[in-house]
Amino acid sequence: MKKINYPLISNTIGKLEISSAIKTIKTLNLSYGKKVKEFEKKFSSMHKKKYGIFVNSGSSANMVMLKALSILYNFPKNSEVLVPVLSWSTTYSPIYYSNLKPVFVDIDIDNLNIDCNQIEQKITKKTKVLFAVNLLGNPNKFEILKKICKKYNLHLLEDNCESLFAEYKNKKTGTFGIASSFSFFFSHHINTIEGGMIITDNKKLADLCISIRSHGWDRDSIVKKFNKNNLRNYFAFSNPGFNLRPTEINATIGLEQIKKLKYFIKQRRLNGKYFIKKFKDNKYFSIQNEIGKSSFFGLALTLKNGVKNKHNNFFKFLKKHGIECRPIASGNILRHPVAKFYTTSKKENFKNADYIHKYSLMFGNSHVNLRKNIDFLKKKIDQFFIN
């Protein structure tokens, strides 16, 4: 097996998480329960939000909060959701499954988030939601996004799955919209094996999210109070729902992980700043322009025009030297076969996202010191272009 000199991800689970998980398993209370509720409360409080809804993945978090929003405000079928064309695939799937229409906006080539200058031209009478994605730990320009939403009466949602504890003007990302999503998958800032979270201050929206998470029934409702001695009330279903609940084991691990979160973020930022120092003003690559205070989910390099023809050989070279990398999220989602479900138009031009799709790579970041790994990457890159 080839030696990995620069890994994409590092494991954050240690002895405390393992021992806590074993204790939880021994209780035999393993499905949704007290630990989940405790984790929800602590996580939402960290963001100064009233409600947290823990689900089985960040993808499910996107699905539940968008479906809940569409029910709460009774969006007509094919209402439009503005969304950047560069993100992970499950930013878009919930739009499709909620019978809404994604309207794609190109990205800013420098910061990789939605291009604020192109949003207004995509707004129509059918537009209901602006779904902002904070990509690779980098905040959006929320001052601008909030003004646009206010001007056109749009709901702002945040896909914050890659940007836990990032900040814009001293405020955490995930707190700007009516609701936001987080992911706790293995490669993310904290790890609950699988898991995701929705946070919001909107009581009715939170209530719908809870219902949709658990089959669409009302028994865990915040707003409505049911007589649990009445069998029919206890098994009343008000919404089309799923079973997207997490387990007590996921929550137990999450409770240990958030104790370490400030350290994790501190080290990720140190790695990110060192990466910037090494590659800023590089003649072969551009780097992601930091907006606000990134939490550096990943570290991106984009080949410049003069060397973009080397991208295939460059990837092979990195692989040969044990440097793991991957595309930026899904790249331009409309360059994948799934595009046929989202749009019938083949004429739209997304030049920035297309460039990132072809010529950008993401390198790993984590809670461990990566100076030696970044130095190794820089050394090998110099070798590649010199030769």
Side-chain angles (χ1 to χ4, degrees), residues 121-165:
Q121 66 195 52
K122 297 288 183 101
I123 295 173
T124 71
K125 291 181 180 179
K126 292 183 178 181
T127 309
K128 303 296 182 183
V129 178
L130 173 53
F131 201 174
V133 180
N134 302 310
L135 199 72
L136 300 187
N138 202 30
N140 274 273
K141 296 177 180 178
F142 283 104
E143 190 173 21
I144 298 173
L145 298 190
K146 296 274 283 185
K147 285 180 181 178
I148 292 172
C149 288
K150 185 177 181 180
K151 180 178 178 180
Y152 294 96
N153 195 28
L154 306 179
H155 299 284
L156 178 62
L157 287 178
E158 286 181 75
D159 182 332
N160 201 53
C161 289
E162 294 185 350
S163 296
L164 178 59
F165 266 37

Side-chain angles (χ1 to χ4, degrees), residues 156-189:
L156 178 62
L157 287 178
E158 286 181 75
D159 182 332
N160 201 53
C161 289
E162 294 185 350
S163 296
L164 178 59
F165 266 37
E167 295 179 14
Y168 179 77
K169 296 194 173 180
N170 298 314
K171 186 177 179 181
K172 289 183 178 65
T173 56
T175 63
F176 289 91
I178 187 172
S180 60
S181 62
F182 297 80
S183 174
F184 310 134
F185 182 60
F186 182 83
S187 59
H188 288 241
H189 297 81

Side-chain angles (χ1 to χ4, degrees), residues 71-90:
I71 292 172
L72 181 61
Y73 291 101
N74 195 26
F75 294 161
K77 186 177 180 180
N78 289 323
S79 291
E80 295 173 351
V81 179
L82 297 169
V83 67
V85 75
L86 179 70
S87 185
W88 189 242
S89 65
T90 47

Side-chain angles (χ1 to χ4, degrees), residues 279-292:
F279 289 100
K280 188 178 181 181
D281 301 322
N282 188 281
K283 63 181 178 180
Y284 306 117
F285 294 96
S286 60
I287 59 175
Q288 185 183 27
N289 181 34
E290 185 180 7
I291 302 298

Side-chain angles (χ1 to χ4, degrees), residues 269-282 287-288 290 296 299-301 371 374-375 378:
R269 285 188 171 132
L270 288 171
N271 292 337
K273 296 300 183 184
Y274 190 69
F275 185 86
I276 291 170
K277 179 182 176 182
K278 284 289 183 178
F279 289 100
K280 188 178 181 181
D281 301 322
N282 188 281
I287 59 175
Q288 185 183 27
E290 185 180 7
F296 292 100
L299 307 170
L301 288 179
R371 282 193 169 220
I374 293 168
D375 286 341
K378 179 66 165 57

